[in-house]
Amino acid sequence: MLVDRKHIPWAVATSVAGLVSLGAYVWDAPRHLEGPRGSTVAGLTFGIAGYALMLFCVALGLKRRVPHWRLG
């Protein structure tokens, strides 16, 4: 894949989202005595976001393998 100037907004948006996620994790982690767990609001949020990204990757793979399906 060639990276050109059209990809700069996506790179910036991804970097900002990553930094915001890191900041939320660092802010939430000290509030728990035993360390961050999956049952916290932050853990559930990150888990749901990760699962949504996995579903998105599956949809991209299906779109590539079955091009006549209209997935978007």
Side-chain angles (χ1 to χ4, degrees), residues 35-46:
R37 301 272 189 245
S39 61
T40 63
V41 173
L44 290 172
T45 303
F46 286 130

Side-chain angles (χ1 to χ4, degrees), residues 5-69:
R5 290 180 187 255
K6 293 188 300 185
H7 295 97
I8 292 175
W10 287 105
V12 169
T14 303
S15 299
V16 168
L19 289 173
V20 168
S21 298
L22 179 65
Y25 178 79
V26 169
W27 175 76
D28 188 57
R31 295 178 20 184
H32 306 286
L33 297 175
E34 300 161 353
R37 301 272 189 245
S39 61
T40 63
V41 173
L44 290 172
T45 303
F46 286 130
I48 290 169
Y51 185 66
L53 287 173
M54 286 187 270
L55 289 178
F56 179 72
C57 290
V58 167
L60 284 179
L62 286 175
K63 182 177 177 170
R64 181 175 289 182
R65 290 180 194 265
V66 190
H68 63 276
W69 285 1

